[in-house]
Amino acid sequence: MEQTTATAVEAPERRPLPGGLAAFLVFLSSGAVLVLETVALRLVGPYLGVTLQVTSSVIGVALAAIAYGAWTGGRIADKRDPRTLLPGALVLAGIATAVTLPVVRYAGEALRGEAVSGILLLTALAVFVPAFLLSAVTPLVVKLQLGDLRNTGQVVGKLSSVGTLGAVTATLVTGFILVAALPTSVILIALAVALGLAGLGVGYYLRRTDRLALAGTSRAGAMLAVVGLAGAGLSAAAPTPCDIETAYHCAAVVEDPAREGGRTLYLNSARHSFVDLDDPTYLEFAYTRWLGAVAGAVKPGTERVDAVHLGGGGFTMPRYVTATRPGSANEVYELDGALVDLDERELGVSQGPHLTTKVGDARMLLAQRATASADLVIGDAFGHLVVPWHLATREMAADIRRVTRPEGIYAQNVIDYPPLRFIKAEVATVQAEFAHVALIAPERSLAGEQGSNFVIVASPAPLPMDQLRMRLTEDDDGGATTIIEGAELAAFVGDAEVLTDEYAPVDQLLATGG
């Protein structure tokens, strides 16, 4: 009887949270992890690029944080009263989120590049600590709610479901709304404030209802405010490579000190396009001169052409085609609508009869174009330094061939590095659909001595090889540029496998080292 009385006295101290509050905390913490994971790609992209390796690293680090956070939260919940831990976990997660942006921006300058160690370290700095703390919340809440072991399955199942719903909701809202509408800094600071307020609110509730002595709650609130302000200040002072953040890129336009009208477009810190506002026929990069050579050979003289551009970037080539072939119609497919707006503001792009831009995925938009409707198709779409895999497959090449007129030409820009596995596979892929294919590249690159741009040239009809050879210029390093076809091209391609929608490991083929 005495034991029963003692248990009855202690029971109120272990009273579960109201069901709605418990569900809210699990929903919020699980959703916050996915917000961090999604935004982390935007944070590290300007320094590491947006490649399969970077994406895999962000996902892997986030999953590791979830696993270790849940495990640690469960162990601590068995040793201490979860009610004394919940407020602190949320407040600390808010603080960690607030300082993520300046930490990544400062560290990103030092870790810039594609080394595996740098990718893993920077993604860990972006995700691990706040995700670890947030993942400890669910086991703390579960422990509190298990007042009756007969309902264990129901409690765990319900909260697990709520956590999953929080993660799904956060993923969709962040991907479809937040990233398109708000800068990364605003998303992170807002999330930090929400987590801090949730922690303080839970602490206040528990102190009022359970009369818990949550010492330090006021100090935690003050600390959150100070760290939040410090994080915001550091974020403002931290170096940023962006003029604007679009849904897909960190973009900046930089004036060229050596050329009055020159402007360079940087996307995720990569030198993406160069335009001369005063002279649209000026082509700075070697690969654009090669594309210009193809545009000049597609028809005699300055006859107008119907051109399709897969990827807009800085609109260098549409401007060039318009200037060198008056009356031409350029249709550009660009995934990033905000980038098009930037081009119109900063790079002199104007829509009209000579230029029509359609915002959307190039493959989806090309499928809507009429058969045999283009004299020239230029493929220059990239995700960082990689051609998006679905634009590099045989099925895509077949649709380009469908759109290309019998005498038309397809020119595709590709970047690769020794051992040149991707360019070989991509040439084999284009050869599977086009009867006549050639490859423009620096001689040193074809020999496997360096990485560079390559331009694949393809047509249903024989290519104007003599004209192309006459128009070729030196590459960016001053070395000789050549064009190969026939047996020489076959020897270069070797037994490279054709890429298909079912199998197109573009990122792995592009990776250097074997």
Side-chain angles (χ1 to χ4, degrees):
M1 181 66 69
E2 291 179 358
Q3 184 177 3
T4 303
T5 304
T7 303
V9 172
E10 292 176 1
E13 297 183 6
R14 300 194 58 82
R15 179 169 59 191
L17 294 173
L21 178 58
F24 168 76
L25 293 176
V26 171
F27 186 93
L28 174 65
S29 59
S30 299
V33 172
L34 269 294
V35 173
L36 286 167
E37 183 177 339
T38 305
V39 172
L41 285 170
R42 305 292 303 281
L43 278 178
V44 304
Y47 311 102
L48 305 176
V50 183
T51 65
L52 180 61
Q53 286 79 7
V54 174
T55 302
S56 299
S57 180
V58 170
I59 295 172
V61 168
L63 289 174
I66 292 170
Y68 284 112
W71 178 53
T72 303
R75 284 180 60 88
I76 295 176
D78 286 340
K79 297 179 180 179
R80 294 187 56 184
D81 187 348
R83 290 171 299 177
T84 64
L85 302 172
L86 266 176
L90 289 166
V91 169
L92 287 175
I95 292 172
T97 300
V99 300
T100 292
L101 183 61
V103 166
V104 170
R105 283 186 174 171
Y106 282 109
E109 294 296 333
L111 297 173
R112 186 186 296 274
E114 299 180 358
V116 173
S117 58
I119 291 173
L120 290 172
L121 179 55
L122 194 59
T123 53
L125 290 173
V127 177
F128 190 85
V129 173
F132 173 88
L133 292 166
L134 288 165
S135 299
V137 170
T138 294
L140 294 175
V141 173
V142 169
K143 179 70 173 183
L144 272 176
Q145 302 309 97
L146 291 178
D148 186 347
L149 294 181
R150 292 174 299 178
N151 297 325
T152 298
Q154 179 181 342
V155 170
V156 174
K158 175 185 175 181
L159 292 177
S160 176
S161 173
V162 168
T164 302
L165 288 174
V168 171
T169 302
T171 301
L172 296 176
V173 171
T174 305
F176 282 88
I177 300 174
L178 295 183
V179 167
L182 299 171
T184 301
S185 56
V186 174
I187 296 173
L188 286 175
I189 294 300
L191 180 61
V193 170
L195 292 172
L197 291 177
L200 296 176
V202 171
Y204 177 78
Y205 170 82
L206 291 174
R207 187 168 56 181
R208 288 289 303 272
T209 59
D210 292 350
R211 295 182 175 84
L212 289 179
L214 296 177
T217 301
S218 299
R219 290 194 298 273
M223 183 185 297
L224 176 66
V226 170
V227 174
L229 289 173
L234 286 172
S235 299
T240 173
C242 307
D243 283 347
I244 65 165
E245 285 187 52
T246 73
Y248 300 94
H249 301 106
C250 163
V253 175
V254 178
E255 295 185 9
D256 189 320
R259 196 173 182 89
E260 185 176 350
R263 301 290 187 274
T264 302
L265 173 66
Y266 287 85
L267 297 181
N268 296 325
S269 295
R271 204 166 168 235
H272 191 274
S273 302
F274 185 97
V275 300
D276 188 323
L277 302 181
D278 302 322
D279 183 6
T281 65
Y282 177 77
L283 301 175
E284 171 78 5
F285 301 152
Y287 85 87
T288 59
R289 296 194 290 271
W290 305 340
L291 292 174
V294 175
V298 69
K299 275 191 176 183
T302 59
E303 287 185 34
R304 72 172 298 281
V305 296
D306 293 312
V308 175
H309 303 261
L310 311 178
F315 284 70
T316 303
M317 294 315 300
R319 287 162 51 91
Y320 179 84
V321 171
T322 298
T324 57
R325 292 185 173 277
S328 294
N330 294 276
E331 187 167 83
V332 178
Y333 303 149
E334 172 56 53
L335 183 64
D336 194 340
L339 179 60
V340 176
D341 294 338
L342 177 66
D343 290 332
E344 292 176 346
R345 290 195 309 270
E346 302 287 340
L347 300 180
V349 173
S350 61
Q351 308 296 322
H354 65 288
L355 174 64
T356 302
T357 302
K358 295 185 176 180
V359 175
D361 183 89
R363 183 162 174 177
M364 302 299 102
L365 293 171
L366 187 71
Q368 301 170 17
R369 189 173 172 100
T371 298
S373 60
D375 301 300
L376 175 65
V377 179
I378 294 179
D380 195 15
F382 282 84
H384 192 52
L385 301 179
V386 184
V387 178
W389 74 268
H390 70 302
L391 302 184
T393 65
R394 179 172 184 173
E395 290 81 354
M396 179 63 177
D399 208 29
I400 293 171
R401 177 178 51 78
R402 176 189 65 80
V403 167
T404 305
R405 289 178 175 139
E407 303 294 324
I409 295 179
Y410 169 48
Q412 180 187 4
N413 178 31
V414 174
I415 296 174
D416 200 8
Y417 304 90
L420 306 180
R421 294 172 298 185
F422 177 45
I423 183 61
K424 293 176 182 179
E426 188 61 9
V427 171
T429 300
V430 174
Q431 285 179 321
E433 291 297 329
F434 284 87
H436 303 274
V437 178
L439 180 64
I440 303 173
E443 290 181 354
R444 291 181 58 203
S445 299
L446 290 174
E449 298 175 6
Q450 65 180 24
S452 72
N453 292 83
F454 298 77
V455 170
I456 302 171
V457 186
S459 176
L463 292 165
M465 296 297 294
D466 291 339
Q467 292 187 55
L468 291 173
R469 287 192 177 96
M470 289 177 55
R471 292 173 179 271
L472 289 181
T473 61
E474 294 181 339
D475 64 45
D476 283 336
D477 295 325
T481 299
T482 189
I483 181 169
I484 60 175
E485 62 170 341
E488 189 176 5
L489 183 60
F492 172 76
V493 172
D495 60 355
E497 190 168 357
V498 173
L499 304 178
T500 67
D501 284 352
E502 186 175 346
Y503 180 76
V506 170
D507 292 87
Q508 289 83 356
L509 291 172
L510 188 63
T512 58

